[in-house]
Amino acid sequence: MVQQEPAGAPGLAAAGEAEACGAAAAATAEVRLSRRRWAVVLLFSSYSLCNAFQWIQYGSINNIFVRFYGVSTFAIDWLSMSYMITYIPLLFPVAWLLDKRGLRFIALAGSALNALGAWVKLGSLKPHLFPITVLGQVICSLAQVFILGMPSRIASVWFGSREVSTACSIAVFGNQLGIAVGFLVPPVLIPNVDDVEKLAYHISIMFFMTAGVATALFILVVIVFKEKPPHPPSRAQALIQSRPTEEYSYMQSILRLLHNGNFLLLMVTYGLNTGCFYALSTLLNRMVIHHYPGEEVNAGRIGLTIILSGMVGALISGIWLDRSKTYKQTTLVVYTMSLVGMITYTFTLSLGHLWVVFLTAGMLGFFMTGYLPLGFEFAAELTYPESEGTSSGLLNVSAQVFGIAFTIGQGQIIDHFETKAGNLLLCSFLFLGTIMTAFIKADLRRQQANLDNEQTKVMPEACTDPIVLEESKL
């Protein structure tokens, strides 16, 4: 008796054969690193810096802009929160564009919108023109949607498996350094004077400088930024590039991510940590001025300390991950120390010694800001081979939602109670995030794909003749 082949079996067999051939093609592809990769990541980091500077440039001298425009502190806080609000509804359209149009299109759009927003702000140099500055800030917030989800994607597309975490850290550096410059420069350029005309003059200097830098960076993006290198930089990336385009479904990718329990836990914990950072950055000027009146410049320097120490932490974490691949353990340690740092900062802010605040703020920043690239890279590991732009975007949506909630909540608590109560709110949520991080399993799919492809040296005969994979470095 002859058994009939089940219906659909030929299709499944063909699909399996195609998948095997795709994996074999990835294993035999030439893996090579491009010299241009460093120019690409540094250029991205630069226009990300400019965009982040425009996010915090109002909040770092909140009290001065309140007096200049004659609005409430809450209105100035909303200039920062506009970045968070804009990101949430536009994540999915921009992530879809990233997958359909590619890195270069997204880079051009982000840098162009960043420059346009900077020029619009130059039309708001009169106290009654606050709506114009809001419009400019909203345009810059649109640019941010094209920027925030890019670091892990750039790292994966352009960098090898042994440097991908370091590259992601460098890409995130730009955003962090921009916030640092945003804390440092505005208090220096714009003194706290009563004369409105003098204020307008100093504000115009800052706006002109920002617009000029943003425009120059857009021109460089047009010239330098390419879609991808001539050859895949890693076996995992070769496997993705060998996948037929029609196999990829954007909506199916999102659904798979939302059914990934480990990623969902990471999405919530990342949102809690980064949301606390957003609230702390937005309200830092108000908190420091409350305890140390007239110290606008030092408030900015404290913010600078938080960011610079965080950049050091991020770099160390990135190098450590590239060598150890201990994503879960590193993330948990850094998250726990973020909680310890926040508790220490909370109870030392009101002691009356600025040097103590600088010290504890530096400790807090080393871990809290240093956590940001860790989250991107851990997500890329947990969700491979899904698009890094989609996974990073979902992390950032979580961060924006919690950032808005924490900024409003902590701001109201500070207004009606005291700064310590507001900071304790953040401590409680960081504690929750630490507990949840402990439950994330280290399912490192990207690392496994690199190992599997490394073992596959010869393509199956069904696909083509045997070819040995060679990996070269520049």
Side-chain angles (χ1 to χ4, degrees):
M1 183 177 178
V2 179
Q3 284 187 318
Q4 285 189 330
E5 192 177 61
L12 290 173
E17 185 177 339
E19 183 177 345
C21 290
T28 57
E30 183 180 6
V31 175
R32 182 183 297 176
L33 297 179
S34 167
R35 291 186 180 92
R36 186 185 287 266
R37 69 192 187 279
W38 296 110
V40 168
V41 75
L42 290 175
L43 180 56
F44 167 79
S45 193
S46 297
Y47 73 80
S48 177
L49 180 157
C50 185
N51 183 257
F53 171 82
Q54 297 198 74
W55 169 60
I56 203 65
Q57 66 182 167
Y58 297 98
S60 62
I61 47 173
N62 184 294
N63 56 322
I64 295 176
F65 277 109
V66 163
R67 190 172 69 256
F68 180 73
Y69 286 116
V71 296
S72 66
T73 56
F74 192 56
I76 300 299
D77 289 343
W78 272 106
L79 290 175
S80 295
M81 286 190 285
S82 66
Y83 268 54
M84 308 175 204
I85 294 170
T86 305
Y87 188 87
I88 297 170
L90 293 179
L91 158 69
F92 293 118
V94 172
W96 179 83
L97 282 173
L98 176 59
D99 287 322
K100 294 299 180 183
R101 300 297 299 273
L103 280 173
R104 178 173 166 81
F105 176 84
I106 297 299
L108 288 170
S111 56
L113 286 168
N114 187 55
L116 176 61
W119 284 108
V120 168
K121 290 179 184 180
L122 280 166
S124 65
L125 295 174
K126 298 289 184 182
H128 66 280
L129 295 176
F130 182 68
I132 304 299
T133 215
V134 171
L135 175 62
Q137 188 74 342
V138 169
I139 294 173
C140 291
S141 73
L142 293 176
Q144 178 222 210
V145 186
F146 291 85
I147 294 172
L148 275 191
M150 293 269 280
S152 58
R153 181 64 169 264
I154 290 174
S156 293
V157 170
W158 282 90
F159 287 83
S161 60
R162 295 181 181 179
E163 57 189 18
V164 66
S165 296
T166 303
C168 186
S169 296
I170 292 172
V172 173
F173 271 4
N175 185 272
Q176 302 310 305
L177 186 57
I179 298 172
V181 176
F183 276 122
L184 178 66
V185 172
V188 174
L189 288 181
I190 306 172
N192 190 2
V193 296
D194 294 327
D195 191 322
V196 173
E197 291 298 323
K198 286 186 178 180
L199 270 183
Y201 169 73
H202 290 291
I203 292 172
S204 71
I205 292 175
M206 181 174 71
F207 284 174
F208 267 115
M209 290 173 60
T210 307
V213 170
T215 303
L217 289 170
F218 169 67
I219 294 171
L220 284 174
V221 169
V222 172
I223 298 170
V224 174
F225 207 102
K226 301 298 181 185
E227 179 61 34
K228 61 182 180 181
H231 304 280
S234 67
R235 295 179 177 88
Q237 190 59 215
L239 185 61
I240 290 177
Q241 293 182 11
S242 68
R243 180 178 59 187
T245 306
E246 58 269 16
E247 285 186 13
Y248 181 79
S249 167
Y250 179 67
M251 289 307 300
Q252 286 297 319
S253 175
I254 293 175
L255 290 175
R256 285 192 294 270
L257 289 175
L258 295 179
H259 282 86
N260 184 330
N262 290 319
F263 175 71
L264 289 178
L265 278 173
L266 179 63
M267 190 168 75
V268 174
T269 57
Y270 182 90
L272 290 171
N273 191 302
T274 311
C276 288
F277 168 71
Y278 287 160
L280 185 69
S281 300
T282 301
L283 302 172
L284 182 65
N285 173 267
R286 290 170 59 184
M287 287 190 285
V288 173
I289 295 301
H290 176 78
H291 292 289
Y292 306 92
E295 294 287 356
E296 289 88 1
V297 173
N298 274 322
R301 289 172 179 167
I302 291 170
L304 176 69
T305 302
I306 291 174
I307 303 303
L308 292 182
S309 60
M311 291 173 64
V312 175
L315 180 60
I316 293 173
S317 297
I319 294 172
W320 170 253
L321 285 182
D322 279 331
R323 282 159 173 72
S324 70
K325 307 301 181 186
T326 54
Y327 289 85
K328 163 68 180 293
Q329 299 91 324
T330 305
T331 301
L332 182 58
V333 168
V334 171
Y335 212 113
T336 303
M337 292 307 298
S338 296
L339 170 61
V340 173
M342 188 69 210
I343 293 172
T344 306
Y345 170 80
T346 298
F347 288 97
T348 57
L349 179 61
S350 58
L351 292 181
H353 302 290
L354 268 174
W355 70 269
V356 176
V357 181
F358 273 96
L359 186 64
T360 56
M363 174 188 171
L364 171 62
F366 183 86
F367 294 104
M368 180 177 279
T369 313
Y371 170 81
L372 302 183
L374 286 181
F376 283 143
E377 280 301 288
F378 198 12
E381 290 290 340
L382 294 174
T383 61
Y384 179 87
E386 308 299 340
S387 166
E388 296 88 359
T390 307
S391 61
S392 297
L394 288 171
L395 291 185
N396 283 321
V397 162
S398 177
Q400 312 305 324
V401 170
F402 284 113
I404 293 169
F406 291 163
T407 301
I408 295 175
Q410 187 183 15
Q412 292 299 309
I413 291 173
I414 289 174
D415 289 340
H416 293 89
F417 298 97
E418 58 176 351
T419 57
K420 184 177 291 184
N423 285 326
L424 285 173
L425 171 74
L426 302 187
C427 291
S428 63
F429 281 104
L430 284 174
F431 176 74
L432 174 63
T434 303
I435 300 299
M436 294 177 69
T437 299
F439 286 95
I440 301 175
K441 295 180 180 178
D443 181 17
L444 306 182
R445 300 178 181 182
R446 185 173 64 182
Q447 291 305 313
Q448 189 60 47
N450 278 320
L451 289 174
D452 291 344
N453 277 286
E454 191 171 339
Q455 294 169 2
T456 309
K457 298 292 184 182
V458 181
M459 189 178 289
E461 294 181 4
C463 297
T464 185
D465 295 330
I467 302 175
V468 178
L469 170 67
E470 295 181 358
E471 181 170 2
S472 60
K473 289 187 177 181
L474 294 177

